Amino acid sequence: MLSNLVLGPQGSTPAQDTGARVYWDRTVPGKGFGWIVPLSQRGSCEDVGDTVTSYRTTALLGSPAVPPRGGDVPSPSLKDGFLPDGTLWYLNMGNLLKVLTCTDLEQGPNFFLDFENAQPTESEKEIYNQVNVVLKDAEGILEDLQSYRGAGHEIREAIQHPNDEKLQEKAWGAVVPLVGKLKKFYEFSQRLEAGLRGLLGALTSTPYSPTQHLEREQALAKQFAEILHFTLRFDELKMTNPAIQNDFSYYRRTLSRMRINNVPAEGENEVNNELANRMSLFYAEATPMLKTLSDATTKFVSENKNLPIENTTDCLSTMASVCRVMLETPEYRSRFTNEETVSFCLRVMVGVIILYDHVHPVGAFAKTSKIDMKGCIKVLKDQPPNSVEGLLNALRYTTKHLNDETTSKQIKSMLQ
């Protein structure tokens, strides 16, 4: 995490510290400093030489350790959080505002993650660019799915008049291009899976903890959130469109009949039998994209046996905390410049909970879960009902452990 330290007079108020200069800047690996004061204030500044202009809540760095020298700015000795001349150090973590209190340390870290403006650092760019190639097509996929109307009328006419060749040809002609779209959706799910695995590799690798990764690599965290956001939107649209499975079932039945009768089928080149089988399994799922991500995450964990499963599940639980805190804290929520960011955070929070519930051995609802499920459900229920019913239903019907005996009655009652 990039840490900027701000000088201010000992015992001063934020107003008195306005105008102080950022004195020292370096990359901190996350260890070696203690926290002697749970909450203080710090200036909104980024780099050495910047001037403090405003304040937000954060923690005061108070370790007897002496910070190494950084850049061209000398680093005076630090004793118990204060400099020899009676000034003190403040810690600025760039775009990521971290709030540490005694309660937070027990419940897990809380962050403000800049979903709107995070940009990749040099070390993130390779993975970021690979995933960005996939994500740039996501909106077009959703638009195509939203406009998918199906060939229900043509199929019904063909079934009701099995001896009318013109109606059979008309139905087949209507279905083939639609199956081409379904193929494109399915192939995109495979690309999305590859992107997710790349992000998981970057966000869970040693020696950094998942929390440190989210602090250091906000652009990748943002992409991870965008994948979850897309996934829930895709599955919401798919669940409300029965034409998808009807069209594909008709396509497979007709293709089988054509093969038996040795009739050439133009659509067979588009989707061969092996691909049709895989697509059939994909669309048979109520939430196919979520199932794809869940399977990909589980596979990632099983293939990386040298990596503790906690590295992956902690990444997910931390992301859930990020979203919950940003949504329930007016100070953080007011920093959103786009009103769509609220719905983005809600959808990401739900998506990461479901993913955690599928990947973690005991799930998201157990008492030992690192996700504050009561807090997350409360955040959802505090929103306008029409805007979150689909997300509440996703928790009710697409999670794995909600109905386990280990789930508290209170949580079950909150989701009834």
Side-chain angles (χ1 to χ4, degrees), residues 187-322:
E187 289 175 339
F188 185 78
S189 77
Q190 305 305 293
R191 294 172 60 203
L192 202 67
E193 176 184 347
L196 176 73
R197 288 161 66 85
L199 288 174
L200 285 174
L203 293 172
T204 62
S205 61
T206 54
Y208 299 108
S209 70
T211 298
Q212 289 169 327
H213 275 300
L214 291 175
E215 291 177 345
R216 292 165 53 86
E217 295 147 5
Q218 288 197 47
L220 298 186
K222 179 186 174 187
Q223 286 186 319
F224 184 46
E226 287 172 342
I227 287 177
L228 289 165
H229 183 251
F230 165 83
T231 295
L232 263 70
R233 287 177 68 196
F234 182 95
D235 287 346
E236 285 169 8
L237 291 170
K238 186 266 178 184
M239 280 192 288
T240 56
N241 196 338
I244 289 173
Q245 280 181 276
N246 292 338
D247 292 349
F248 197 64
S249 295
Y250 178 81
Y251 171 83
R252 298 204 72 190
R253 288 197 309 271
T254 306
L255 196 60
S256 177
R257 192 164 59 246
M258 287 178 169
R259 286 201 194 99
I260 292 170
N261 296 328
N262 291 319
V263 176
E266 59 172 295
E268 190 169 7
N269 294 329
E270 181 87 19
V271 178
N272 61 32
N273 198 46
E274 181 190 350
L275 179 56
N277 287 335
R278 284 187 275 125
M279 287 174 60
S280 185
L281 291 172
F282 177 76
Y283 288 112
E285 295 288 340
T287 53
M289 283 292 176
L290 193 60
K291 180 69 163 58
T292 298
L293 296 196
S294 174
D295 288 349
T297 307
T298 303
K299 189 176 180 183
F300 172 82
V301 170
S302 66
E303 288 180 350
N304 293 272
K305 298 188 186 302
N306 60 328
L307 199 67
I309 187 174
E310 290 78 17
N311 281 32
T312 303
T313 55
D314 285 359
C315 178
L316 302 178
S317 61
T318 301
M319 185 73 83
S321 292
V322 168

Side-chain angles (χ1 to χ4, degrees), residues 4-7 20-25 47-50 70 72-76 83 89:
N4 301 328
L5 300 177
V6 182
L7 292 175
R21 188 166 66 94
V22 180
Y23 201 85
W24 170 67
D25 181 284
D47 300 313
V48 171
D50 277 3
D72 297 324
V73 183
S75 298
L83 297 168
W89 294 95

